[in-house]
Amino acid sequence: MAELAWVAAALPFFSFLIQVFITGPTRRRGDWVGIIATAASFILSIGVLLETTAGVRTGSSFLWATMGDRTFRFGYHVDALTGVMLVVVALVSLMVHLFSLGYMEGDVRYGRYYTILSLFTFSMLGLLLADNFLQLFVFWELVGLCSFLLIGHWYEEKANSNAAMKAFLTTRVGDIGMAIGIFLLYSATGTLQFEEVWHSVSAGLLTPATITAVSLLLFAGAVGKSAQFPLHVWLPDAMAGPTPVSALIHAATMVAAGVYLVARSFPLFSASPTAMYWVAAIGGFTAFFAATIALVQEDIKKVLAYSTISQLGYMFLGLGSGSLVAGTFHLMTQAFFKSLLFLASGSVIHALHTQNLHEMGGLYRRMRWTAWTWIIGSLAMAGVPPLSGFWSKDEVLLAAYHSGRPLLFWLGLITALLTAFYITRATWLAFFGRPRDEEKFRHAHEGDWRFKLPLGVLAIMAAFSGFVGSSWFGHPFTHWMETTLPSGFHLVELEPAGIVQLLALAAAVLGILLGWLVYGAGVVSRSALIRAAGPVYTLLKRKYYLDELYGWLFVRTTVALSWVVSVFDRYIVDGIVNLIAWFSTQLSFATGDFDRSVIDGAVNGVGAAFSAGSQVLRRAQTGYVGAYLLVLLGAMAAGLLVLAFIVD
Amino acid sequence: MLTALVFLPLVGSLLLLLLPQENKPALRGVATFFAAVELLLSLVLLARFAPSQAEMQFVEKYAWIPSLGISYHLGVDGVSLALVVMTALVTLLAAVASYSIQERVKLFYSLLLLLETGMLGVFVALDYILFYVFWELVLVPMYFLIGIWGGPRRQYAAIKFFIYTLAGSVIMLVGIIALYFSAGMGTFDIIELQQAGATLGSRLQWWIFLAFFLGFAVKVPIFPFHTWLPDAHVEAPTGGSMILAGVLLKMGTYGFYRISLPTLPDGAQAFALLLATLGVINIIYGALAAMAQKDLKRMVAYSSISHMGFVMLGLAAMTPRSISGAVFVMLSHGLISPLLFFLVGSVFYERTHTRMIDELGGLYNKMPLASVVMAFGIFANLGLPGLSGFVGEFATLLGSFDVFRTLVIVGSLGLIITAAYHLWMMQRVLMGEASSAGGLGKLPDINRRELLVAVPLMALVLFLGVYPAPTFELFNTAVLRLQNLMQLASLGGGI
């Protein structure tokens, strides 16, 4: 089965081709082609997971290009990390395919939507299967393309196309860093194949400085893709896309690709303490930073978007603290509970036609299924045992605790509290209390099976998937990850610390309790809280003014610079050209004689050309075609003269 | 074989002159027939070509003016053959794209085929004088194509193009003659003079390299010799733009590959940093200038300048991978830029009657299929992996990294600007609500003939991007041979 892993990626690709060329992007029935292909990919992925977790590692590759004297290969590689990721991606993609049947029904570009969904699934699976950095980069860009196309799905609105553009360009900033990292890596090792690079690292062929530089440059790509500070600004705007897309691409899979990159390159990163420190620091800071913004968002999708940024930061905190298990484990559980939360919010948005939390309220009474699955997802994220997030968050905090960076540990802990608080806030505002918009509330209703089935499946995963990494079952996830490392590398066994578990649990409970006190019981009034926070509230509301800052610093300056360049080009560079032409026209008027000027000019060829040119310039006004031929003859004569001159 | 290849279009060109002026379909048909046969012929060559063989193939050599050592010498290696096939393809598609031309159809197609003879001649000539004749021959028909069928400022643009390139090539001629005399071998043969490279003094090489540089730089065009290009493109008819961007610019970079690098290795070494720096200036400057343009054709023209910067960077780095990358960019840009010029100059313009970005908008909804083709072209041009642009740029940057580390990093940053102006244009032209250009309702979508032009280009862009191995295979041997020549020369110079 593991040898057939590449088929899992090929199936959605065929589905894409079928939808482009046969069912046609504007007609229906492409949807089920995509669903069947993704389902088949999912079944295959399970097979791959079962085999790879039993210790199977396999792969193969073919020659993709020989550039001059160097060869580059494409292929696939599977191990337990790939297996886990394949299952996560294929399952979430399948659920999103199903959910979209209802959510996107009647959309003007229904066919286009499903076509790109297939292309995305193919690209994402291809990214996971890559056995070298070049191939990874290729698919890395392709998922970015799909993200761009789907964020801009309703491109009639300027805000949506702006968001799509912002996403593509912001991530590209990171991607360029990643590309330079790849160049540097290739320059140092002469290969881009993962296995060979790891070998070079363990054999000590790279200097520590090179390892650090390559790691940090690759990490720049991850910072862009996984929306980490300071390149996080695109993800909240990306919510302009259809909600199922947010669940798939901007919560569970593509944004996790950055985490996957660091996890996949763990043999490289872990060889550089400096790089590891920065991964942990950026991750820890982003986790806290984004959680603070999530506190004040009014748009339910924006809450989830900042939450995603924050949780991705958590993963980097885990990886940077030296724990491959913590980062990848949290990646998996977050994929389930966050895509669940997004789809549940989609269900609400579909029913109410609003994303504003302040226009919701009391929905529990009308949408039980959605409410319960949302609650499961939010409890999982808050870290309530025994749901999945509890186990993985614990693992991250444990890693941070043992890494000897107390600041990052406490930052992670505070983030856990904030997380529990803001998700309780959102839960209460949406599902409990009095309905704040009676009109919308009256029309709200639960969707059919197309909504319920994906929510149910993901709720089960959000609840129970954490057990694969739980101490109750002997940490199977840790053993899986152990098998993915090349020989010579070992996982650091983290000693369980009761204090960490206790603090994490306390943070979750306290956060939920505070949230309930403010938004549920109304013990503290919201407006009083906002007044007390004062400027801090404004700062959070304006997202630390980073959009404004970037707008001035990068967008406006680039546009202004481009304007300066084009003016310079037109009036200086081209001005000089026209000046020379004008000058030689004057010159030839002075001599007044075409032939003489040619002969004079023939001594130095440049002069001849321009003098002849000036004559034609003058004659061109008459529009007489024959004059042009004279120019040619003149030039030929000049050439022959020069020739004769030298032959003599 | 090569003689037939080069002169068949000339035969077609003359034949067209004998046909009656009025029967436009017949004129178009005959021209298309000749261009198609030409493409078939080039494909036959491609099939019979042995990529692993380092020597020139299909060689024809006859004495021409023996007293001066001028010969009629033709031959191809992998690089020139790839360019020959590309030229034949682009010319055929330009012929089909120009069916909408109604005035002086006979003269138009006659000049187009004459142009093809000139271009192919440049790529297969192995004698300096022959090379120069073909080089100049290209100027004349292109001059008339712009001057007669061009836009409102065609006179200015045509003359600027003509004079500028002529000035460059006259200097190149001086370089040829200087090389002839200083080598003292009594031959104008390009291949034989390559052997002479090592024997020339560095100082002399420097001067001759400069002369060739000026000739080629105008053609590429390299900053600051580029301002003729946007004017020529904006005014040229679509078919002319396609050939201008697709093929003519490559004549300049081909000159560096065929002549400057192998023949004057010391000069090339001395100029390498300058060339690479100018290449990176081209990339950044072209991209920034493109961003500010309001006219779509002008924007695509500046993007061509930007892309040719990659070719220069790759050639200047002189590693096998960077040169292979540069050649790949030449081919890739030779497919993508004709596609874009065809779309903005014909498909869009004929329906909306404007090329101004501000006047366009919402084309996705007004002509869906044409817009999807445009989006394809945009992503190909901004270097999306899976399409040909990425492969060449990646190979070029990767191959140049060891030689010009800082320049490669700066050039890579240019890729952000490249993405930015493409997407910004896409947003304003394709996305959004329908604008009033060409009416508010739907416009007729891309038609069958237009698809016939666009689809082959798209298919090749995709093929080169998805599986580049066979294409690299075609010219790798030639690139390695160049590398050997230069290494031998530098060794010889050292002794």
Side-chain angles (χ1 to χ4, degrees), chain B residues 67-87:
Chain B
S67 59
L68 289 174
I70 300 172
S71 58
Y72 176 83
H73 188 184
L74 306 179
V76 290
D77 63 3
V79 174
S80 42
L81 181 61
L83 290 168
V84 162
V85 176
M86 184 192 86
T87 304

Side-chain angles (χ1 to χ4, degrees), chain A residues 158-212:
Chain A
K158 184 116 192 284
N160 298 350
S161 58
N162 274 342
M165 214 159 73
K166 187 173 178 182
F168 196 93
L169 295 179
T170 314
T171 49
R172 188 161 250 225
V173 172
D175 294 352
I176 296 301
M178 182 175 167
I180 295 170
I182 291 175
F183 299 153
L184 184 60
L185 178 68
Y186 189 77
S187 165
T189 63
T191 180
L192 293 177
Q193 297 292 127
F194 290 145
E195 295 289 330
E196 292 168 19
V197 171
W198 313 154
H199 182 76
S200 303
V201 174
S202 61
L205 297 174
L206 297 173
T207 64
T210 309
I211 294 178
T212 301

Side-chain angles (χ1 to χ4, degrees), chain B residues 148-463:
Chain B
I148 298 177
W149 291 271
R153 291 176 75 229
R154 57 180 177 268
Q155 305 276 7
Y156 171 76
I159 289 168
K160 193 174 183 181
F161 161 77
F162 193 93
I163 302 298
Y164 217 142
T165 343
L166 192 67
S169 50
V170 169
I171 301 172
M172 178 174 86
L173 184 64
V174 173
I176 291 175
I177 289 158
L179 179 67
Y180 175 81
F181 283 103
S182 50
M185 291 166 67
T187 177
F188 277 102
D189 194 281
I190 290 179
I191 302 296
E192 283 177 41
L193 281 170
Q194 283 177 358
Q195 317 299 328
T199 63
L200 297 180
S202 314
R203 204 168 166 71
L204 197 59
Q205 282 201 25
W206 195 92
W207 282 105
I208 300 174
F209 192 95
L210 182 68
F212 279 112
F213 167 78
L214 290 171
F216 298 145
V218 172
K219 206 80 168 185
V220 172
I222 299 174
F223 173 90
F225 306 108
H226 64 275
T227 53
W228 62 269
L229 182 76
D231 285 321
H233 268 308
V234 168
E235 302 305 326
T238 299
S241 283
M242 289 169 74
I243 289 179
L244 192 56
V247 184
L248 254 61
L249 307 189
K250 278 69 189 183
M251 285 166 51
T253 44
Y254 174 77
F256 282 102
Y257 164 82
R258 173 65 71 224
I259 292 170
S260 306
L261 296 189
T263 314
L264 306 159
D266 290 354
Q269 282 299 341
F271 272 89
L273 184 60
L274 178 74
L275 289 186
T277 309
L278 287 174
V280 171
I281 290 178
N282 259 39
I283 295 173
I284 305 275
Y285 185 94
L288 282 172
M291 184 180 273
Q293 298 311 314
K294 295 184 163 68
D295 181 320
L296 276 177
K297 260 191 167 180
R298 252 189 126 76
M299 197 208 93
V300 182
Y302 276 107
S303 104
S304 289
I305 295 172
S306 181
H307 282 96
M308 292 312 278
F310 282 100
V311 184
M312 288 318 300
L313 176 64
L315 290 174
M318 292 185 273
T319 69
R321 356 188 227 302
S322 76
I323 296 174
S324 275
V327 175
F328 203 94
V329 176
M330 285 162 72
L331 295 177
S332 156
H333 184 256
L335 300 169
I336 298 170
S337 62
L339 177 65
L340 286 175
F341 275 115
F342 173 61
L343 288 167
V344 304
S346 269
V347 179
F348 284 16
Y349 184 75
E350 280 164 19
R351 289 164 176 77
T352 60
H353 307 292
T354 181
R355 285 191 316 260
M356 305 314 276
I357 294 175
D358 292 344
E359 295 169 16
L360 294 164
L363 291 185
Y364 260 145
N365 289 351
K366 294 174 89 169
M367 30 200 257
L369 194 53
S371 299
V372 169
V373 176
M374 182 70 180
F376 181 96
I378 287 173
F379 278 108
N381 213 30
L382 69 74
L384 184 82
L387 303 176
S388 62
F390 167 77
V391 180
E393 284 165 21
F394 179 83
T396 306
L397 291 171
L398 185 79
S400 310
F401 189 74
D402 285 336
V403 187
F404 302 115
R405 200 158 274 202
T406 314
L407 284 173
V408 167
I409 291 172
V410 176
S412 306
L413 294 177
L415 290 173
I416 301 171
I417 307 169
T418 304
Y421 75 78
H422 277 108
L423 295 186
W424 194 27
M425 181 267 269
M426 188 172 174
Q427 179 188 36
R428 288 177 293 169
V429 173
L430 301 183
M431 299 171 158
E433 296 287 352
S435 72
S436 57
L440 278 168
K442 285 235 171 198
L443 291 171
D445 212 332
I446 190 167
N447 62 35
R448 215 167 269 189
R449 176 181 63 84
E450 290 165 333
L451 278 177
L452 215 59
V453 178
V455 169
L457 293 171
M458 291 166 74
L460 276 172
V461 166
L462 201 59
F463 172 69

